[in-house]
Amino acid sequence: MTPTVAVDLAAAGTLLAVGVWTLWRQSVPGAVALGVVTLAAALFPAAAAVTQLWSAGTVVGLYAVFSWRAVTPFWLAFAAAYTGRGPQFGTGLAAVAAVVAVAWQLPAVLWTVAERWSWFLELGWLLLVATAVYAELLLVRAGAAGDLPARQTAGLLVFGAAVTASLGAALPTSGSGATLSVVRTVVAVIAVGGICVAVADGALRRAPGADRLARERLLESMREAAVVTDREGRLADANAAARDAFGVEPTAFGRSVESVFDATLPEPGGAGRERLTIETTDGRRTFVVSADRVTDDGSESVGRIYLFRDVTERLTDKRRLDVLGRVLRHNLRNDLDATRAFAERLATAPDDDAARRRLYDLARKLADTGETVAEMERLFAGQPSRESVDPSAVAERVAAACEPGDTARKADGGDTVRESDQTAGADTSATQVTVTTRTSGTAETDPELLRAALVELVDNGLTHATAARPTVEVVVDADGQTEIAVRDGEPAIPAREREILVEGEEPLRHGSGLGLWFVALAVRRLGGDLRFAQRADGGNVVTITLPDRDGGGQ
């Protein structure tokens, strides 16, 4: 027995042992596929020994063509399953691919002697080499990402390189002489060294690909938006919820996370939670943001993870219930007390026209408040819809509904009481509502919520007007971010009321009406902004700004 034969047999025995152990670890993803490759690799040096001992060159050459090349799909199956980075398929599909690889070569081998169809065999060889190289790249990516230890990655790459190199050594036209035998021996020794280093460093003792996939699946399946930063506070990862909510583009990765979200995020430690209002693809939304450190095995901080829990709807519902509670406790109680007083007054003085008018106005006010509450409950049930809407068309509908004789006039309507509320002089039959479209376009929003908010603003402007012929103008600017401004005459909405509607309601500091609260809550649900301003010539400008949902992400 020559030294070369001894080396071949030792390599074959080692690879056989490793292959059996690998199959025993079949609970680890990719283990069965690697076992097939390793056992086939064991036959490779064994065949080299047979060639030298019994001069079976032709038989070994055919084996190399039909058997060894069939393991390349199994090598890809292992790399994909073990790293979790490639197409996921099992050993069954790999076996089918192996049969196809063998069948592909059969016609070319049969006609190689006649020098016909040799290109067909070469094409199959190139496909197998490309498959092996792709498997190597999957291992390189896993090692670069830290999913695999460096020595384990190196060992598997060396083993894979031997697999790839052996494809060239197994060409049917390579002959079966001493040179080919030496090449097979060298390839076998390289394969043994690589697989032994990988196994010694922990290969198949754990499933790094499965671990990584589990982390990714968990992150991706979360309903809350989650983002991860590196040590320098730069955006490193974002789950699907974060990408959808904030429109995170690939160019955002590597930038400061605070510049991406245009907000100062909380620091880890302590409470580590803050309530922030952030611009999203659905407009401005309120989130409870929590922060925590990401540490390595040595408890050293390597980054941060932020969780964004959207509380916009919950806060809106809470504010709505607070407003309704205040209306029931305060406004309705006062109106009912006044209604009872005027009713008692009419009982003793049936001809008191002033008491009769006041009683009628109070009853109409109570009815309007009830209608507003019912409308609020109807429109705020469930999630807002998102449809492609022409804001000018919605404004025209509102204007048509507020034509003389059609407007549901309200003495107070549950709206904010103006500082100079003198509706007696207004001619309700001569109201005018005009719509001016500066720029046309569409908006992705809930058309019913938008219509209801505009109706309240227009009706509020008409109801509280002091002019003999009240006018309200609706100005639409729908180029990109849609703005709809409702311009009415005097008197001005008190500054205290404007601040409450924008900043929120407090127990000892609240507005007196319901209509403008309806508008503020509706705009919040639409993800928009509500602004109040006073006209230089008197009156108010109330502007609704809708989010530009087609304007791109961060």
Side-chain angles (χ1 to χ4, degrees), residues 386-525:
R386 183 190 291 190
E387 303 176 24
S388 182
V389 176
D390 181 357
S392 297
V394 175
E396 294 287 356
R397 285 176 54 200
V398 172
C402 293
E403 290 179 354
D406 293 336
T407 305
R409 306 297 299 172
K410 296 184 284 186
D412 179 78
D415 284 342
T416 302
V417 175
R418 305 292 182 90
E419 291 176 345
S420 303
D421 190 6
Q422 301 174 359
T423 61
D427 183 358
T428 60
S429 65
T431 60
Q432 183 179 11
V433 182
T434 61
V435 177
T436 302
T437 302
R438 291 179 178 173
T439 58
S440 59
T442 60
E444 295 290 326
T445 191
D446 187 319
E448 284 303 306
L449 270 178
L450 178 61
R451 181 200 60 78
L454 291 178
V455 167
E456 283 292 340
L457 289 177
V458 170
D459 194 81
N460 193 65
L462 295 176
T463 299
H464 297 289
T466 57
R469 296 177 178 273
T471 62
V472 173
E473 181 185 16
V474 182
V475 181
V476 179
D477 189 341
D479 184 13
Q481 193 172 47
T482 301
E483 290 190 353
I484 306 175
V486 178
R487 305 163 62 90
D488 63 22
E490 56 183 356
I493 301 174
R496 180 179 67 89
E497 304 294 343
R498 298 196 303 266
E499 292 174 2
I500 293 173
L501 290 169
V502 173
E503 298 173 4
E505 183 145 349
E506 299 176 8
L508 299 179
R509 182 173 176 263
H510 55 257
S512 56
L514 184 61
L516 288 181
W517 264 115
F518 176 90
V519 175
L521 294 174
V523 172
R524 179 182 291 270
R525 282 179 62 84

Side-chain angles (χ1 to χ4, degrees), residues 120-138:
F120 193 77
L121 179 61
E122 292 170 358
L123 178 59
W125 175 74
L126 288 174
L127 291 174
L128 291 175
V129 170
T131 300
V133 170
Y134 179 60
E136 296 279 281
L137 291 177
L138 295 180

Side-chain angles (χ1 to χ4, degrees), residues 5 23 97 159 224 239 347 401 492 514 539:
V5 173
L23 291 176
F159 181 76
E224 291 83 5
N239 67 351
L514 184 61

Side-chain angles (χ1 to χ4, degrees), residues 102-154:
V102 172
W104 177 281
Q105 300 166 85
L106 183 58
V109 172
L110 295 178
W111 272 273
T112 295
V113 178
E115 297 184 355
R116 297 171 59 187
W117 290 12
S118 60
W119 62 269
F120 193 77
L121 179 61
E122 292 170 358
L123 178 59
W125 175 74
L126 288 174
L127 291 174
L128 291 175
V129 170
T131 300
V133 170
Y134 179 60
E136 296 279 281
L137 291 177
L138 295 180
L139 293 169
V140 169
R141 288 181 57 195
D147 289 345
L148 296 177
R151 284 190 299 177
Q152 185 181 141
T153 303

Side-chain angles (χ1 to χ4, degrees), residues 99 140 235 239 281 283 285 311 315 326 334 349 398 469 536 546:
V99 171
V140 169
L235 183 64
N239 67 351
T281 55
R285 309 283 293 179
V311 295
L315 292 178
R326 186 261 303 163
N334 290 349
V398 172
R469 296 177 178 273
L546 300 177

Side-chain angles (χ1 to χ4, degrees), residues 277 279 284 481 523-524 527-531 543-547:
T277 300
E279 192 70 32
R284 297 186 64 79
Q481 193 172 47
V523 172
R524 179 182 291 270
D529 287 326
L530 185 66
R531 301 195 309 272
T543 303
I544 297 174
T545 302
L546 300 177

